Amino acid sequence: MLVCDICTQEVSSEDDMKSHLLLAHMEQDCWCPFCTLAGLTYDELSHHIHTAHADTLEPWCSDEEQSKGAHGGATSSSSSSSSTPDKDLRTGHHMKTPEKCWVPLDVELNTKKSHGSCKEADVPRNAASEAPGLDDDPPTACAAPIAGSEDLVIECPFCSETENSIDKLELHVRREHADLLTSPTKGHAKQQYECPMCSLVCANANILQEHVYLHLEDTCDTNTAKITSDSILARQLQAEEDKRRRIEESKREKVEFQKLQRQFGLDNSGGYRQQSVQNLERAVARGRMRPMDFHLHKAEMMESLATGVDDGRTKTSGVMEALRQYYNIAGPEVRRVWLCSPLDHFSSSAGDKGWGCGFRNFQMLLSSILFSDTYRDFLQDFRYIPCIPKIQAMIEDAWKEGFDPQGASHFNGKLQRTRAWIGACEIYSLLTSMRLKCRILDFHTPSGLSGTHPLLFEWVLNYYASDTRGAEGKVVCSSKPAIYLQHQGHSRTIVGIEERKNKSYCLLLFDPGCPSDAMQRLTKKNVDAADLKHFRKYVGGLKHKQYQIVAVEGILSPEERAVRLQMSKVFRAERIP
């Protein structure tokens, strides 16, 4: 079967096609499918279309079909019929359209007239009867409306818009439906844009971009909500962790504080009296003391506490005289030695063992003051050495008077019935309240090699030597009292200093930790160099980072005492170096 290029009429042979073209088209007036031009012959219409509407025909033809003739007589029709091309249903022109190309407007146009539907073209019956086979297959194309017809109504194939001319409709399609007119030609598949988040296929990049933005907004909202939730949870966990850590730190600090309180006797575990009784009972339980001796010692202790006077059980007298005799007849390595005024040695007892060294050193210092002619008459109220509880009460009285308020705050203003340690500040406050002029010096950092304190030795030498200028002999007995020496964890009493033949110096120290039995043996025999080993401290033997000393230098007047009282409000020691 052959198909007419103009009206798509199918005929069975080339002869029938020639007759059809002659009768239906050559002798009929043709009109242009792209404009309102009408009343043309076939050749005139073909020429008009390919000249006036060439730009409209180009996108409809594939590259392969453009190589063939686009118009002609029966020969072009026959040669094109085998490929079954698309046809213009109005004019019968052979409009070759590529695959997936947009359909020409007039394929889907609904041509409407006020009088009814389209009618068959008016073909003279006498002419049609002369052509063989035309009675059975009359032309089926609708007659084209005449340009300018007021009844013409054309509807857009893509929307419900209607126009009264093809030009207006074509303009409408190109404006409103341009995206539908840009389908790719054959061999070029339409580019599709697939969403990377949900696999949705979009027609162009702009739509895909807007679609992805929606995904991102949802994701951002979700992430923001998740971040907010995670942040709240993190803060809650952090708050719980901080609370747990604070509780643990508080417990640990409490335990450490209790250890310090117990170490320094501030744990309310009892004072001198309670510890004395406990140690006496322990000695009886272990068989080291008879019950009779227990009651005797307890009675003496109670009497001492009542009178405030030390019971003298740990006192050793005559040690300084034994030292003076030794240096006079022995000690060839010593060039010269300076000794303080005579004093008694006081050892720690069962009631103050582990914490009473400061009190015992004060007893030794006070005994040295009382042996000095300079202070004996002045201290009429202290003709006896007080016991430790009495010394505690004296320090509390000094605090109440206003001396060293910072130290009083440290001990909560209480020393009695405690095992609290005291140091150089408490000794200074107590001596000053007794109207004794004294100095407190702080050797806060080593002044020599290997962490030693040669300046401390130099100061002690000048302290004793300043009172014995012009004295002759190897042994120089000074009228100055002993010196209180404090370092971390312990205190001792400086009773003299040696100048050796090698130009080095050695301090002579009394230690409350030395038992009274050992000190008493020194007074019952001739002292030798081995006995002095526990008293001597060379420069290399004092390597604590810090040392403090309290030295008595005279008597204060009431006015001077008042000044010292005000100065102790902000306690400052002399720093050397």
Side-chain angles (χ1 to χ4, degrees):
M1 299 293 289
L2 300 179
V3 180
C4 177
D5 294 338
I6 299 176
C7 66
T8 69
Q9 176 69 39
E10 295 183 355
V11 295
S12 59
S13 64
E14 291 185 2
D15 294 334
D16 294 339
M17 178 60 70
K18 293 178 181 180
S19 300
H20 169 74
L21 292 174
L22 177 62
L23 298 177
H25 299 295
M26 296 300 291
E27 296 180 358
Q28 289 278 85
D29 292 335
C30 298
W31 60 282
C32 178
F34 303 105
C35 63
T36 59
L37 186 62
L40 301 177
T41 63
Y42 178 85
D43 293 334
E44 291 174 344
L45 178 61
S46 177
H47 177 72
H48 165 72
I49 290 176
H50 285 84
T51 55
H53 305 291
D55 55 338
T56 307
L57 294 177
E58 285 179 1
W60 296 350
C61 303
S62 64
D63 296 338
E64 179 181 358
E65 292 171 341
Q66 284 179 355
S67 61
K68 302 177 183 180
H71 38 265
T75 305
S76 63
S77 298
S78 345
S79 60
S80 302
S81 60
S82 59
S83 60
T84 318
D86 296 329
K87 307 157 189 78
D88 182 30
L89 298 182
R90 270 197 198 154
T91 62
H93 279 288
H94 182 57
M95 301 299 178
K96 303 178 179 61
T97 58
E99 185 179 2
K100 292 188 178 180
C101 188
W102 71 287
V103 183
L105 297 178
D106 48 5
V107 174
E108 298 292 339
L109 294 179
N110 298 322
T111 305
K112 303 178 181 178
K113 292 186 178 181
S114 59
H115 298 291
S117 60
C118 298
K119 298 181 180 180
E120 294 182 356
D122 296 332
V123 180
R125 296 304 300 170
N126 56 354
S129 60
E130 296 177 359
L134 291 182
D135 291 338
D136 298 331
D137 297 311
T140 58
C142 297
I146 300 175
S149 173
E150 297 180 357
D151 297 333
L152 178 63
V153 178
I154 307 174
E155 183 177 357
C156 176
F158 305 111
C159 64
S160 59
E161 185 72 20
T162 59
E163 298 291 347
N164 58 3
S165 70
I166 295 179
D167 291 340
K168 293 182 179 180
L169 182 61
E170 182 177 356
L171 181 61
H172 163 75
V173 171
R174 291 184 180 277
R175 284 182 177 177
E176 305 297 333
H177 308 293
D179 55 333
L180 301 177
L181 302 178
T182 56
S183 299
T185 59
K186 183 177 181 180
H188 296 81
K190 182 178 180 180
Q191 184 176 1
Q192 296 179 340
Y193 299 89
E194 183 176 354
C195 175
M197 307 179 74
C198 68
S199 301
L200 178 68
V201 178
C202 300
N204 54 59
N206 294 333
I207 298 177
L208 176 63
Q209 185 177 10
E210 295 179 359
H211 174 73
V212 172
Y213 281 163
L214 295 177
H215 278 300
L216 295 179
E217 289 179 0
D218 294 341
T219 304
C220 290
D221 294 340
T222 304
N223 291 340
T224 302
K226 184 177 180 181
I227 291 172
T228 304
S229 177
D230 292 345
S231 178
I232 294 174
L233 179 60
R235 286 196 295 268
Q236 291 177 350
L237 294 176
Q238 185 64 40
E240 293 176 359
E241 178 66 19
D242 293 342
K243 182 179 179 181
R244 184 183 62 81
R245 186 172 62 253
R246 285 195 297 269
I247 293 175
E248 292 179 355
E249 289 179 356
S250 177
K251 291 181 179 178
R252 183 168 60 253
E253 290 176 357
K254 185 177 181 180
V255 171
E256 294 296 331
F257 183 69
Q258 290 175 351
K259 290 181 180 179
L260 289 174
Q261 284 184 319
R262 186 164 51 253
Q263 178 182 358
F264 292 100
L266 298 174
D267 58 346
N268 297 322
S269 59
Y272 179 85
R273 175 181 175 179
Q274 183 175 357
Q275 183 171 326
S276 298
V277 174
Q278 290 175 350
N279 287 333
L280 290 176
E281 292 174 348
R282 190 178 296 112
V284 174
R286 294 177 180 177
R288 295 196 301 265
M289 180 181 291
R290 296 179 302 175
M292 183 180 296
D293 294 334
F294 167 78
H295 291 290
L296 178 63
H297 286 187
K298 185 176 180 181
E300 292 177 351
M301 181 194 67
M302 298 301 293
E303 182 181 359
S304 174
L305 295 178
T307 60
V309 179
D310 186 76
D311 57 12
R313 283 186 171 276
T314 64
K315 182 178 74 171
T316 302
S317 302
V319 181
M320 294 300 295
E321 179 64 21
L323 291 176
R324 186 184 66 80
Q325 292 178 2
Y326 166 77
Y327 285 113
N328 282 330
I329 62 177
E333 73 282 0
V334 179
R335 180 177 177 272
R336 204 171 193 189
V337 60
W338 289 265
L339 299 177
C340 69
S341 61
L343 78 161
D344 296 328
H345 181 273
F346 288 84
S347 302
S348 298
S349 67
D352 61 282
K353 188 174 183 180
W355 57 273
C357 60
F359 299 98
R360 295 301 182 181
N361 282 303
F362 174 77
Q363 289 177 332
M364 286 189 273
L365 176 58
L366 183 59
S367 69
S368 178
I369 294 173
L370 293 177
F371 274 109
S372 175
D373 296 335
T374 306
Y375 304 99
R376 183 183 301 115
D377 296 336
F378 175 74
L379 297 176
Q380 291 295 328
D381 296 336
F382 297 95
R383 287 179 294 178
Y384 302 99
I385 302 298
C387 63
I388 289 180
K390 178 62 177 179
I391 298 173
Q392 290 176 328
M394 293 168 62
I395 296 175
E396 288 183 2
D397 291 339
W399 287 342
K400 292 176 182 177
E401 194 175 352
F403 287 95
D404 190 16
Q406 295 179 352
S409 175
H410 173 74
F411 292 98
N412 294 323
K414 182 179 180 182
L415 283 177
Q416 296 185 78
R417 291 179 293 278
T418 70
R419 301 176 188 179
W421 297 12
I422 62 172
C425 296
E426 288 70 44
I427 299 299
Y428 174 87
S429 299
L430 177 56
L431 292 174
T432 305
S433 67
M434 295 168 60
R435 289 183 56 192
L436 291 174
K437 183 180 181 179
C438 55
R439 296 172 63 184
I440 178 170
L441 296 99
D442 184 11
F443 297 86
H444 59 94
T445 184
S447 54
L449 300 176
S450 302
T452 58
H453 293 263
L455 292 181
L456 171 62
F457 285 73
E458 182 180 344
W459 194 93
V460 173
L461 176 63
N462 293 332
Y463 174 78
Y464 286 121
S466 63
D467 187 52
T468 58
R469 292 178 181 176
E472 297 180 358
K474 180 180 179 181
V475 181
V476 180
C477 293
S478 172
S479 62
K480 288 192 174 183
I483 300 174
Y484 180 92
L485 175 66
Q486 178 75 51
H487 60 81
Q488 178 64 36
H490 194 43
S491 61
R492 284 170 284 189
T493 301
I494 302 175
V495 298
I497 184 171
E498 295 178 350
E499 181 186 3
R500 306 178 73 83
K501 291 184 178 180
N502 60 2
K503 300 297 180 68
S504 64
Y505 295 95
C506 177
L507 294 179
L508 298 176
L509 303 178
F510 277 5
D511 192 338
C514 184
S516 59
D517 296 341
M519 297 298 296
Q520 290 174 3
R521 283 195 297 268
L522 294 177
T523 62
K524 296 178 182 179
K525 69 169 186 174
N526 294 329
V527 178
D528 55 20
D531 295 328
L532 294 182
K533 182 175 64 175
H534 301 291
F535 301 146
R536 286 172 168 165
K537 285 296 179 183
Y538 298 95
V539 175
L542 296 182
K543 288 189 175 182
H544 285 275
K545 181 179 179 181
Q546 182 181 17
Y547 288 91
Q548 292 176 336
I549 62 174
V550 180
V552 178
E553 295 182 329
I555 300 174
L556 294 173
S557 65
E559 293 77 11
E560 291 175 333
R561 182 180 182 277
V563 172
R564 294 290 181 99
L565 174 61
Q566 293 299 322
M567 292 175 60
S568 70
K569 301 294 183 180
V570 181
F571 202 93
R572 291 187 178 91
E574 300 179 44
R575 293 166 66 87
I576 299 177

